[in-house]
Amino acid sequence: MSESTRDTPAHQFESLDQQHHAATLGMWIFLSSEIMLFGGMFVGYTVYRILYGETFQKVGAELNLLLGSVNTVILITSSFTIAVAVHAAKDARQKLTRLMLAATASLGSVFLLIKGYEWYEELHKNLVPFEGMPFAFSGADVGAAKIFMSFYFAMTGFHFLHLLIGVGLVSWMLLLSFRGKISKKKPNNLEMTGLYWHLVDVIWVFIYPLFYLVGP
């Protein structure tokens, strides 16, 4: 595909600028729906945190703070690499774009592996609050501890799914870059992927203190 063809807007748009504005608006509408999804869970968690603060502190101390902190650093770093990738694409610096996309996908994959290991640890600590599974908690209010872990698995699980999708999108952008389909004048797909990635990172920045730093 020639450069001129890549820089031509889709047939329903009059210009690349119009196409870019439409894509940006659509992405922000989608991101708003995601914010409302996680926002509802944050509000629910906060209500129970107020009601069962002492129990939440005790069971929160059972989470692996070190791995949670490492994952936070990984995601913050990945926000930097995806931002550099977007700017490099706009400057037509293809090698840097590909390097930063590969770094972002790798960091996201490492996060997912660490998160999976954390869940494995929690399974062996009997902290999974599923029906029929043993639940080990030394405090008095086992019900409140199960509520904490239910929110933990629900919110980190949804976040895991979103990040998994993000890794797939970034990998797809890397493939498009190698095929020469991300141009200086038409980096829409990469920009939208970057917005999505930043949202997923921001959600984790809120999840991390709520669960890992809730202990005394």
Side-chain angles (χ1 to χ4, degrees):
M1 183 179 292
S2 67
E3 186 71 22
S4 60
T5 303
R6 291 199 304 271
D7 293 340
T8 302
H11 66 86
Q12 67 269 36
F13 298 105
E14 295 179 354
S15 66
L16 286 173
D17 282 343
Q18 186 185 51
Q19 181 174 332
H20 180 263
H21 290 317
T24 303
L25 177 61
M27 177 52 76
W28 276 111
I29 291 173
F30 169 73
L31 295 181
S32 297
S33 68
E34 294 296 291
I35 291 171
M36 287 190 284
L37 170 66
F38 279 95
M41 288 190 282
F42 281 125
V43 171
Y45 171 89
T46 301
V47 170
Y48 282 104
R49 172 74 173 82
I50 294 171
L51 292 174
Y52 306 111
E54 185 176 346
T55 301
F56 272 34
Q57 286 183 350
K58 288 181 178 177
V59 71
E62 297 293 328
L63 301 182
N64 194 321
L65 176 60
L66 175 60
L67 292 184
S69 301
V70 169
N71 261 350
T72 302
V73 173
I74 287 173
L75 276 197
I76 290 174
T77 304
S78 73
S79 268
F80 171 76
T81 56
I82 192 71
V84 173
V86 172
H87 285 286
K90 290 180 179 178
D91 293 336
R93 301 173 67 183
Q94 293 298 331
K95 287 185 178 179
L96 182 59
T97 301
R98 292 164 188 162
L99 177 63
M100 291 297 103
L101 286 174
T104 304
S106 298
L107 289 167
S109 298
V110 171
F111 178 100
L112 295 175
L113 289 172
I114 291 175
K115 192 68 233 168
Y117 178 75
E118 275 191 78
W119 288 340
Y120 173 79
E121 276 191 336
E122 287 142 9
L123 176 64
H124 279 263
K125 287 182 178 177
N126 292 326
L127 289 174
V128 179
F130 295 161
E131 189 70 29
M133 295 183 69
F135 189 82
F137 178 62
S138 58
D141 197 343
V142 176
K146 286 185 175 180
I147 290 173
F148 176 91
M149 292 307 298
S150 295
F151 272 108
Y152 167 78
F153 279 109
M155 296 176 74
T156 58
F158 270 112
H159 181 267
F160 185 97
L161 178 61
H162 281 73
L163 186 59
L164 182 63
I165 293 170
V167 170
L169 290 173
V170 171
S171 300
W172 178 244
M173 291 302 106
L174 180 59
L175 180 61
L176 290 181
S177 178
F178 275 111
R179 291 180 175 178
K181 293 186 177 180
I182 295 177
S183 68
K184 179 179 179 179
K185 294 181 180 179
K186 199 176 178 183
N188 287 355
N189 291 337
L190 180 53
E191 279 189 298
M192 299 308 109
T193 300
L195 282 175
Y196 177 84
W197 191 272
H198 289 310
L199 174 71
V200 174
D201 288 359
V202 168
I203 289 170
W204 178 259
V205 168
F206 282 95
I207 288 176
Y208 170 67
L210 285 179
F211 290 100
Y212 291 90
L213 303 181
V214 71

